[in-house]
Amino acid sequence: MNRIDLCGEWVGHKDDKTTFIGTVPGCVHTDLFDTQKLFFNQNSKESRFIENENWTYTKKFYVEKLHKHATLIFQGLDTYCEIYLNNIKIGFADNMFIPHSYNVDNVLQKGKNILEVRFFSPIKFVAGKEPLPGAFTTERLYTRRMQCTYGWDWVDRFVTCGIFKPVYIEFFDEMCVNNVYIYTDSIDCCGAQISICESFLNYKYGGNISTKIFDEHGKLIARKNFFCDCETYKLIFNIPEPKLWYPSGYGEQPLYTLKISVGECEFTQKFGIRTVRILEQQDRKGSKNFKLCKQLQNTKSGEEYDFNTSYSGFIPVINGTKIFCTGANWVPCEPFPSAETPQKITEILEKAKAAGINMIRVWGGGLFETEHFYNECDRLGLLVTQDFLMACGKYPEDDSDFLAQLKKEAEFAAIYLRNHPSLIWWTGDNENAVRGNDEKKQYRGRIASHHAIAPIMQRLDYNRPFLCSSPYGGNLYASKTCGTTHNTQFLDDMIRYILQKDLSDYKEHWKEYTARFIAEEPILGAVCCDSLKKFISDDLIQDRSLWLYHTKSNPGLKIELLEMAEIFAEKIFGEFTDFDDKYFKLRYLQYEWVRITLENARRNLGFCGGIVYWMLNDCWPSAVGWSLIDYYNNPKSGYYALKHMRGQVCGSFDKENNTIYLYTSNTVPFKTECLAEVVYIDISTMNRRKIYSGRFSVGQNSKRIKICESLPDNAVLIADIKANNTYTRNFYVNGSICLQKEKNFNIKFKDGAVYISSKVYLHTVEISGAENVSDNYFQILPGETKKVSYTLQNEPPVITAYTLKSKQEENK
């Protein structure tokens, strides 16, 4: 198979014939602008004209020798365009999510050739169509391109066009591998049985096929040879003593290698041996879980969305082991897909694993991600759930052409992703069907999911679960007592509570959002100062209009998201004293939000199968946003809250009828020995005393220990838990957390580390101005010294500390 690479320099021009040098892969925005300058202050407004123009890209290339079966392949075109080769129209493309290929046998010339791609304005192309209901701007619903860059509540509007993936000409002269489907049939005491379905191009010529399997160390463990002159051929391999693939925290991630040789053509595919299913056992009437479901139905959000009469869990099971999923939603890490780099993707995913994340949900308003992304998830043990690419709207499901596009996408995605062990289920869309249920004949998203996508998945990836939407399950699909749930769906309820209440009971209120599997858990918080200064100039750092511009919002909500964050932070942390105090509390808000939601999910192990935060990463620089890791790959405070609870065993406090209990939760399926100590600190005197110490074993799920009958308002409890060489620390205070900046503490810098100690209780310590900080937003007890390592910079890092203000002083 010969190939002519057509990437690199192209000539671009718009309708008025203004020319520029273009790059493929790329797009108009990246060709005309320095994106880092584009993201600064409000400069992105300067690029809005691009979406309303037509653009053309031209490439001259030379062919030394013609071969048979010449195919021009575009891996990605964004979006509406006509393709011309040597002034002959060879095709039209209207879908960003799939490759486009064209036979050019009768058009390609020996010697000089001219390839031209004429892009049409994606806005003008759908102008005049009937408006459809949906979130944010809705002209996007007609166009099969990345939805979020039409503008969302975390990214500006960047509607671009271009050749954003590689383009080349291939000559298919002889038999070669088209695609492969590898799946685990069974795992038992005899080993693992693996099926391999091989599909070929030009198979009528026939050929001798060699299929080999190598283990994770490169050792050949199985081989079969055969002659084939058919389109498909199925092989079954039995692997004795297989090394099974598990998600991070539950085992290793060994990857086998499949190699198929057909003459001079060789095909290679990594794969893992594992089984997957979703456990949805119905709750027994009168059981603890059943009673909790009844309580959740009686909440405001439950009354609106939850009409279930029976309840069931939702727990992923890998190789027979129940998995508690701690995850986050992935959005494109750049607004222009061609700008995504393997390095940036790897850094985000490695940081996710380091924080204890074991699941990534690829959200439906983005893309089918790069091959590198899924390979890294396989390597790191990050479970993947993949949405099909629709989000928050009523799509034109009555249009047969639209359904045909979805079928093409489903066929591409199934073949593209089905061999990845990390991928554990598919989802038909994001939030289109929140008011649907399985018994309804009609609801938004049903035709797209059941008539277009599901039949393709049943044919091409029949061993993997397919959920018709996210959220999904129960009556309604947005309900909390069956299936998956999006707590982002309840933002209106959260805002109402934040505006109307004093938030002294916010920890209790957030228990209302407990669910069987939380596929979206919202978590707002500000970025660190190092990141903020990269997109807002120093002299405008306090300019509220720029904060609003880089926070964005949702027009469906009662208030701006920035205002929501400000009110929330001030009510639970205390009145802002100045800009720096406000900015710190906006940063720390996300830590507390992650802390209370993850602790609640882990206290309810067995009821709750997982919590997936909205969201892992950013698509552009947000000032206050949902991501755990910002656009510049700097972790925000919520990231460290996750990291502080990443142990298989961790603790949390909870108050029931004024009695304080310590819960220890174990996410693995075997008993674990623990050592727990609880310290009581009087905030007014800073005296500390140990009030509990004990050794015990905890099985999978949670164990409860009574700590004290009541807790004064001027006290804090600290729990330290050690188990299996891991250590976690948790705290508890009554009501809100009254933060007060503390300057009296000691710091010492030595050999790439800082040593911090204090005579008073430091509730949270932030280290900024350094990279690769080993810990952040941690507590320091009176008399305690904390060592934190970091990567040396030109200047030493800045240490900021807050203690707790007594409630009496706060009330004054």
Side-chain angles (χ1 to χ4, degrees):
M1 184 188 301
N2 298 306
R3 174 179 291 190
I4 299 174
D5 184 7
L6 299 176
C7 294
E9 186 177 297
W10 287 52
V11 176
H13 64 263
K14 64 176 182 175
D15 275 352
D16 64 5
K17 304 306 178 184
T18 302
T19 62
F20 55 92
I21 299 300
T23 301
V24 173
C27 67
V28 177
H29 278 79
T30 55
D31 286 336
L32 298 185
F33 291 93
D34 177 332
T35 56
Q36 297 311 307
K37 292 180 180 177
L38 187 65
F39 298 156
F40 198 72
N41 289 342
Q42 297 188 28
N43 293 348
S44 59
K45 291 179 179 179
E46 298 174 9
S47 69
R48 294 281 171 82
F49 73 94
I50 289 173
E51 66 182 53
N52 293 308
E53 302 284 347
N54 297 329
W55 304 86
T56 298
Y57 281 83
T58 303
K59 175 82 170 181
K60 294 180 182 179
F61 65 96
Y62 295 84
V63 177
E64 294 181 1
K65 180 181 179 181
L66 293 175
H67 300 267
K68 295 180 180 178
H69 308 295
T71 303
L72 173 64
I73 299 173
F74 292 91
Q75 291 289 347
L77 290 166
D78 180 13
T79 294
Y80 298 111
C81 60
E82 294 176 339
I83 298 97
Y84 290 81
L85 181 58
N86 299 325
N87 292 318
I88 298 173
K89 181 180 176 181
I90 60 171
F92 172 77
D94 56 358
N95 192 319
M96 178 185 190
F97 303 132
I98 60 175
H100 299 273
S101 59
Y102 309 95
N103 182 279
V104 292
D105 276 335
N106 298 322
V107 187
L108 191 66
Q109 301 173 169
K110 184 178 180 181
K112 179 181 175 182
N113 290 265
I114 299 177
L115 178 60
E116 190 174 67
V117 183
R118 302 175 185 174
F119 288 97
F120 303 100
S121 161
I123 305 305
K124 293 180 179 179
F125 200 89
V126 298
K129 288 185 177 289
E130 179 185 356
L132 295 170
F136 308 99
T137 180
T138 58
E139 76 271 31
R140 64 183 176 84
L141 300 173
Y142 284 105
T143 300
R144 301 309 298 144
R145 74 176 300 277
M146 187 162 72
Q147 301 286 274
C148 63
T149 49
Y150 283 87
W152 224 263
D153 59 5
W154 40 269
V155 63
D156 199 12
R157 184 178 175 95
F158 297 106
V159 184
T160 192
C161 58
I163 306 167
F164 71 98
K165 286 186 177 182
V167 53
Y168 48 87
I169 294 174
E170 278 191 340
F171 302 96
F172 298 91
D173 292 321
E174 54 191 27
M175 187 176 182
C176 60
V177 176
N178 185 17
N179 61 72
V180 169
Y181 185 21
I182 310 166
Y183 57 91
T184 304
D185 288 313
S186 61
I187 301 170
D188 53 32
C189 61
C190 301
Q193 181 169 291
I194 308 300
S195 286
I196 300 176
C197 300
E198 302 176 5
S199 176
F200 302 97
L201 295 173
N202 297 328
Y203 54 87
K204 63 182 179 181
Y205 299 111
N208 291 305
I209 316 297
S210 172
T211 301
K212 302 175 183 178
I213 296 177
F214 299 84
D215 67 14
E216 73 272 30
H217 304 297
K219 179 183 177 182
L220 179 64
I221 60 169
R223 177 176 183 170
K224 290 188 178 181
N225 298 323
F226 59 94
F227 176 83
C228 181
D229 55 2
C230 305
E231 183 177 3
T232 60
Y233 200 95
K234 181 176 180 178
L235 300 171
I236 294 177
F237 288 88
N238 288 290
I239 311 296
E241 300 180 358
K243 302 292 180 63
L244 303 185
W245 188 96
Y246 281 93
S248 177
Y250 287 84
E252 301 300 318
Q253 295 81 45
L255 293 173
Y256 291 77
T257 302
L258 171 72
K259 288 187 178 180
I260 303 172
S261 299
V262 188
E264 295 183 0
C265 175
E266 188 171 271
F267 176 93
T268 301
Q269 176 70 58
K270 297 274 189 183
F271 69 97
I273 298 176
R274 63 105 181 94
T275 59
V276 58
R277 68 187 181 102
I278 300 170
L279 183 63
E280 297 183 85
Q281 286 183 335
Q282 187 168 320
D283 296 328
R284 180 175 52 82
K285 191 172 183 178
S287 66
K288 179 182 177 181
N289 286 353
F290 187 93
K291 292 176 181 177
L292 179 52
C293 287
K294 284 289 187 184
Q295 294 173 20
L296 293 171
Q297 283 186 312
N298 290 328
T299 63
K300 181 71 175 177
S301 53
E303 290 171 357
E304 182 178 2
Y305 286 103
D306 201 321
F307 305 103
N308 293 308
T309 55
S310 62
Y311 317 112
S312 57
F314 191 98
I315 301 175
V317 178
I318 306 294
N319 303 327
T321 298
K322 294 179 182 179
I323 307 297
F324 178 77
C325 299
T326 304
N329 283 261
W330 176 276
V331 300
C333 64
E334 296 283 352
F336 315 115
S338 60
E340 289 190 341
T341 64
Q343 295 79 11
K344 185 171 186 179
I345 289 169
T346 292
E347 184 179 353
I348 296 170
L349 294 177
E350 286 183 344
K351 284 181 175 177
K353 179 174 180 173
I357 285 173
N358 62 10
M359 173 173 276
I360 304 291
R361 173 179 173 240
V362 182
W363 174 70
L367 298 162
F368 300 121
E369 275 296 336
T370 65
E371 183 73 19
H372 178 77
F373 170 88
Y374 300 100
N375 288 340
E376 288 294 85
C377 289
D378 292 343
R379 178 179 70 87
L380 296 168
L382 300 175
L383 299 173
V384 174
T385 74
Q386 174 71 56
D387 283 5
F388 280 91
L389 303 177
M390 295 174 285
C392 306
K394 184 181 186 300
Y395 286 80
E397 298 174 85
D398 56 350
D399 183 344
S400 60
D401 290 338
F402 174 78
L403 297 181
Q405 293 284 12
L406 294 184
K407 291 175 183 178
K408 292 177 184 177
E409 292 169 28
E411 184 162 342
F412 163 71
I415 294 171
Y416 177 48
L417 298 179
R418 62 190 178 183
N419 295 322
H420 289 280
S422 57
L423 179 61
I424 62 168
W425 73 71
W426 301 93
T427 306
D429 63 58
N430 172 78
E431 294 183 0
N432 292 349
V434 290
R435 295 193 178 274
N437 70 50
D438 287 347
E439 296 183 13
K440 280 189 175 183
K441 184 177 181 180
Q442 291 183 335
Y443 56 82
R444 187 182 294 180
R446 184 182 184 280
I447 294 174
S449 180
H450 287 282
H451 289 248
I453 301 172
I456 303 296
M457 307 316 293
Q458 291 163 9
R459 175 168 60 87
L460 294 177
D461 194 21
Y462 39 82
N463 279 282
R464 189 173 274 111
F466 172 79
L467 312 182
C468 76
S469 185
S470 184
Y472 171 75
N475 180 22
L476 301 168
Y477 286 161
S479 63
K480 295 179 286 186
T481 58
C482 289
T484 66
T485 298
H486 287 195
N487 281 342
T488 45
Q489 197 72 30
F490 310 132
L491 275 172
D492 269 334
D493 185 56
M494 295 177 188
I495 290 173
R496 188 183 306 111
Y497 169 76
I498 290 168
L499 291 176
Q500 296 176 359
K501 303 295 183 179
D502 66 4
L503 306 196
S504 59
D505 64 342
Y506 72 97
K507 294 186 286 288
E508 292 298 313
H509 180 80
W510 247 257
K511 292 179 184 177
E512 294 184 9
Y513 307 115
T514 303
R516 308 317 292 258
F517 191 98
I518 304 166
E520 282 190 14
E521 179 65 56
I523 42 163
L524 276 176
V527 298
C528 67
C529 191
D530 290 344
S531 293
L532 189 70
K533 289 182 176 181
K534 290 180 179 179
F535 61 90
I536 297 180
S537 54
D538 288 346
D539 60 325
L540 298 174
I541 207 78
Q542 297 187 34
D543 188 326
R544 185 173 175 77
S545 66
L546 284 173
W547 279 73
L548 285 168
Y549 189 79
H550 279 274
T551 296
K552 302 304 179 189
S553 197
N554 187 327
L557 299 177
K558 294 181 177 65
I559 60 174
E560 297 278 352
L561 288 175
L562 176 58
E563 185 181 1
M564 173 189 175
E566 290 169 336
I567 296 171
F568 197 3
E570 191 163 34
K571 283 189 175 183
I572 65 173
F573 298 141
E575 185 177 346
F576 302 145
T577 59
D578 54 26
F579 175 79
D580 289 340
D581 183 64
K582 172 183 174 179
Y583 181 25
F584 177 86
K585 289 172 179 174
L586 285 173
R587 297 197 295 275
Y588 190 61
L589 174 64
Q590 192 185 61
Y591 185 99
E592 181 64 3
W593 205 329
V594 170
R595 183 186 75 87
I596 63 171
T597 52
L598 184 53
E599 285 185 354
N600 186 52
R602 290 195 60 151
R603 276 197 303 273
N604 288 285
L605 285 176
F607 180 89
C608 179
I611 182 167
V612 183
Y613 285 98
W614 182 258
M615 51 198 195
L616 175 62
N617 60 305
D618 253 328
C619 193
W620 92 309
S622 294
V624 174
W626 307 107
S627 67
L628 291 160
I629 300 170
D630 70 28
Y631 174 76
Y632 301 102
N633 281 11
N634 289 319
K636 292 161 62 177
S637 69
Y639 174 89
Y640 292 98
L642 277 170
K643 199 171 184 180
H644 291 163
M645 290 183 278
R646 72 185 184 275
Q648 69 180 51
V649 177
C650 76
S652 67
F653 291 102
D654 197 25
K655 181 166 69 173
E656 301 172 31
N657 299 322
N658 218 35
T659 300
I660 310 298
Y661 294 91
L662 174 65
Y663 284 77
T664 51
S665 60
N666 181 11
T667 58
V668 296
F670 50 81
K671 286 189 175 182
T672 301
E673 295 299 316
C674 303
L675 171 63
E677 293 184 349
V678 177
V679 172
Y680 175 105
I681 302 173
D682 186 319
I683 300 302
S684 58
T685 64
M686 290 299 167
N687 290 330
R688 53 181 282 195
R689 58 188 173 89
K690 188 184 299 183
I691 63 172
Y692 174 83
S693 180
R695 293 182 179 273
F696 53 86
S697 64
V698 56
Q700 194 169 30
N701 298 334
S702 296
K703 182 183 181 71
R704 188 175 80 161
I705 301 168
K706 182 178 177 180
I707 298 300
C708 56
E709 291 290 349
S710 62
L711 187 70
D713 285 343
N714 65 335
V716 58
L717 295 178
I718 301 291
D720 291 331
I721 297 176
K722 298 177 181 178
N724 285 353
N725 299 317
T726 63
Y727 162 81
T728 61
R729 170 172 282 182
N730 302 84
F731 67 85
Y732 183 84
V733 296
N734 278 329
S736 56
I737 301 171
C738 302
L739 293 177
Q740 177 176 274
K741 194 166 186 179
E742 179 61 53
K743 296 181 179 179
N744 296 317
F745 58 93
N746 300 313
I747 57 174
K748 178 182 178 182
F749 298 102
K750 183 180 179 181
D751 300 330
V754 58
Y755 297 80
I756 308 168
S757 61
S758 174
K759 293 181 180 180
V760 301
Y761 170 66
L762 301 182
H763 182 72
T764 182
V765 179
E766 179 194 64
I767 301 174
S768 59
E771 295 182 356
N772 303 315
V773 177
S774 61
D775 199 5
N776 222 335
Y777 300 97
F778 47 82
Q779 299 85 43
I780 294 181
L781 276 56
E784 192 175 54
T785 299
K786 171 82 173 181
K787 176 187 175 182
V788 181
S789 61
Y790 59 92
T791 300
L792 287 170
Q793 305 290 304
N794 293 330
E795 299 290 334
V798 177
I799 315 298
T800 304
Y802 276 74
T803 187
L804 295 181
K805 185 187 297 185
S806 69
K807 297 294 172 65
Q808 293 89 340
E809 187 178 350
E810 177 69 15
N811 292 334
K812 290 179 184 179

